[in-house]
Amino acid sequence: MTLPTSWNMIILIGTTAKMENPGCTCTWRTLYEKPQTMLVNFKNMVVKLGKDDPRRITHSLKFGFALVLISVLQYFCPSFYVLGDNIIWAVITVIFVLEFSVGATLGKGLNRVLATTFAGGLAVALREIASFFGDIGKVVMITVSVFFVAGTVTFMRFSPRLKAKYDYGMIVFILTFCLVALSETSENELLEVAQERLLTIIIGSCIAITVCICICPVWIGQDLHNQIASNVVKIADFLEGFRDEYFNNLGKTAEAEDDKSFLHRYESILSSKTNEETMAVLARWEPRHGRFRFRHPWKQYLKLGNQIRLCAYKIKALSVFLFRSDQTPYEIRSRIEEPCANIIMESGKALKESSLMLKQFAKAGMPNPHVANAKDAAESLKSVLRTNPWEGADHLQIIPAATVASLLIDTVYCVEKICEAVEELANLANFEPSEVLHRGTVQPIPDTDGAVHVITIAE
């Protein structure tokens, strides 16, 4: 069979390279398989991105649809014929404003429109005033004004409170002010161009906001709420897994380790501070939706998230002793098993009931009884430790078990603070009162990373 000319060239190149360099593994097969491997890897990456969060696919379609609307308005709306090339500012606005969530889109859209309006108006007024001082005076005044305004706004960006909500607006303010103030066009033409560009920016922002809200909206406040609830469950899952793993007398196998991924899920909590703060800032831009009212207490979520992270740090320390538990004999661990198991069981129930309150937007009619039980179990453990249950044992074997007991006692305090923060959130957000939080039922809580945590609270 005769190969095509292109294949003959590939074979010739591969053969020549191998003859010139005997150590070279470059052949026609590798030249053919490498692009194919790259395509397969790219396909797998795209599929994984879509499966992790299908909303990403919807957002991509929404983005393209918003740009299509701009082009439709350009060709079919008569007012756009007057604007001419300024329509590109509407396209740029959609590209920069349309974000994944409603909060981010609203924040950027309002920042862009307000910053463009104020900066453009200030620059036009400055040019009008500077025109009375002659050509040299005009240049000096504009130059000094640009230096002063750009420097002042840049300094304001260092403020954490301003940067969190208005950083994008301050950048647009500086850019717009410099473009208008340093423009070489006449005042009359400049005013007309500024009006046209402002109109296109407003149109682009309105299109981006409308598409984001009306087509499969993604509420960042809901994501923050679900993430906090799922983080509470992650803590409870680890505690339950710790009880089963630490106080057993069975050997560990590689297969058993692979089946215990829930013991590592809490690790995402340790680095969640920045993400939660960003989500809380963006959530403040969102209007009332679902069960989230105006002036929803987003700051309380940050307080709750901090308490959860403090508990996760304790769990991180516990995990070290868990994965090194084979160095402590079971006889040593078993002497504190009962009070520790009670602490873990009651703490897990308390956390899962708190997560259920968040899931159902419910407010309990009485304090969480499992918190009191966990505190009683902690006192019981302290009593056991005072009697020195390891008398006569090797001190090097006692220290790890005693440290685990101490960490579990500290964990009870962290669990209590988490439950108190949840109850405070329920009061601030006006959750609906509920005497019984449907105990004994199974409640799935979606996580932002695609996982689903199922919680069951016994009577």
Side-chain angles (χ1 to χ4, degrees):
M1 184 177 75
T2 304
L3 293 174
T5 305
S6 59
W7 284 104
N8 291 332
M9 291 295 296
I10 293 175
I11 295 173
L12 178 61
I13 292 173
T15 305
T16 305
K18 192 168 185 178
M19 291 177 61
E20 292 178 354
N21 186 5
C24 176
T25 60
C26 178
T27 63
W28 68 272
R29 183 180 296 276
T30 59
L31 292 174
Y32 168 75
E33 290 180 351
K34 187 174 181 179
Q36 187 178 24
T37 303
M38 293 176 62
L39 289 175
V40 172
N41 292 338
F42 178 76
K43 173 191 171 184
N44 294 336
M45 180 191 70
V46 172
V47 172
K48 184 178 183 301
L49 285 174
K51 285 185 176 180
D52 288 346
D53 193 347
R55 297 178 302 177
R56 295 170 180 168
I57 300 176
T58 306
H59 174 71
S60 302
L61 298 177
K62 288 162 59 175
F63 199 94
F65 179 69
L67 294 178
V68 168
L69 286 180
I70 294 292
S71 62
V72 169
L73 289 176
Q74 180 184 8
Y75 287 110
F76 294 99
C77 185
S79 62
F80 269 78
Y81 290 116
V82 181
L83 301 180
D85 294 336
N86 285 320
I87 187 61
I88 192 63
W89 287 96
V91 176
I92 293 175
T93 300
V94 170
I95 292 174
F96 281 102
V97 167
L98 185 55
E99 293 286 343
F100 183 70
S101 67
V102 174
T105 302
L106 278 171
K108 276 196 168 184
L110 295 176
N111 269 276
R112 187 174 183 87
V113 171
L114 294 177
T116 302
T117 303
F118 291 137
L122 179 62
V124 170
L126 175 65
R127 285 174 61 99
E128 288 290 340
I129 296 173
S131 62
F132 294 105
F133 295 91
D135 293 339
I136 297 179
K138 178 180 180 180
V139 173
V140 173
M141 188 173 180
I142 290 177
T143 302
V144 172
S145 299
V146 168
F147 173 80
F148 177 76
V149 171
T152 302
V153 177
T154 300
F155 182 76
M156 291 170 62
R157 292 181 61 202
F158 287 104
S159 171
R161 295 185 62 182
L162 293 177
K163 187 177 182 65
K165 295 188 68 175
Y166 307 110
D167 186 63
Y168 178 72
M170 289 187 284
I171 294 175
V172 173
F173 185 93
I174 296 173
L175 176 63
T176 304
F177 181 83
C178 293
L179 288 176
V180 176
L182 301 177
S183 176
E184 297 181 356
T185 58
S186 62
E187 275 67 24
N188 293 333
E189 294 177 352
L190 181 62
L191 185 60
E192 182 180 354
V193 171
Q195 291 175 347
E196 293 175 353
R197 289 186 179 178
L198 177 60
L199 177 60
T200 55
I201 289 174
I202 292 175
I203 291 174
S205 298
C206 290
I207 289 177
I209 293 172
T210 303
V211 170
C212 188
I213 294 178
C214 296
I215 303 178
C216 301
V218 176
W219 304 102
I220 197 70
Q222 181 70 56
D223 286 351
L224 175 60
H225 184 89
N226 291 338
Q227 178 173 306
I228 293 294
S230 66
N231 285 348
V232 175
V233 180
K234 289 176 184 178
I235 299 292
D237 287 343
F238 177 88
L239 289 175
E240 292 181 352
F242 181 87
R243 177 191 60 189
D244 297 336
E245 294 298 312
Y246 188 78
F247 296 106
N248 64 27
N249 194 23
L250 301 176
K252 297 182 180 179
T253 63
E255 295 181 358
E257 290 296 326
D258 293 338
D259 296 335
K260 299 181 179 64
S261 60
F262 61 89
L263 294 176
H264 303 276
R265 290 176 191 155
Y266 77 94
E267 294 175 356
S268 62
I269 303 174
L270 302 175
S271 58
S272 62
K273 180 178 176 63
T274 302
N275 186 36
E276 289 174 3
E277 291 177 346
T278 301
M279 295 171 75
V281 169
L282 297 178
R284 293 191 184 102
W285 288 103
E286 294 180 342
R288 177 171 180 169
H289 59 280
R291 297 183 179 181
F292 299 96
R293 310 165 187 258
F294 288 111
R295 302 183 65 83
H296 196 74
W298 299 114
K299 289 185 178 180
Q300 183 63 25
Y301 286 91
L302 298 181
K303 179 180 178 180
L304 177 55
N306 289 333
Q307 296 296 337
I308 295 173
R309 266 186 300 279
L310 290 175
C311 191
Y313 292 138
K314 299 292 183 182
I315 282 179
K316 180 67 175 178
L318 281 173
S319 67
V320 175
F321 294 96
L322 174 62
F323 298 116
R324 297 177 58 186
S325 60
D326 54 345
Q327 299 179 8
T328 304
Y330 176 72
E331 291 75 13
I332 299 294
R333 290 175 279 150
S334 63
R335 297 181 187 182
I336 57 171
E337 179 177 359
E338 183 178 353
C340 289
N342 290 334
I343 288 177
I344 293 172
M345 179 180 64
E346 296 298 335
S347 297
K349 289 181 179 181
L351 290 172
K352 289 191 174 183
E353 185 160 322
S354 294
S355 67
L356 196 59
M357 289 176 60
L358 293 173
K359 174 64 179 177
Q360 297 182 350
F361 288 83
K363 181 166 55 176
M366 59 182 66
N368 194 327
H370 300 294
V371 174
N373 294 339
K375 293 171 68 175
D376 292 340
E379 292 298 327
S380 176
L381 178 58
K382 290 179 183 179
S383 300
V384 172
L385 294 177
R386 292 190 187 101
T387 62
N388 189 10
W390 303 293
E391 186 175 359
D394 186 356
H395 289 178
L396 294 178
Q397 296 177 343
I398 294 174
I399 291 175
T403 305
V404 168
S406 177
L407 288 171
L408 286 176
I409 293 173
D410 292 341
T411 300
V412 173
Y413 175 78
C414 294
V415 170
E416 181 183 11
K417 291 298 180 182
I418 291 174
C419 295
E420 289 177 355
V422 171
E423 292 175 0
E424 185 178 353
L425 173 61
N427 293 327
L428 293 174
N430 295 323
F431 286 178
E432 296 179 0
S434 177
E435 294 295 332
V436 180
L437 290 172
H438 305 290
R439 296 176 185 173
T441 59
V442 178
Q443 297 290 337
I445 293 185
D447 192 5
T448 53
D449 58 7
V452 175
H453 305 279
V454 179
I455 64 176
T456 304
I457 300 180
E459 290 289 350

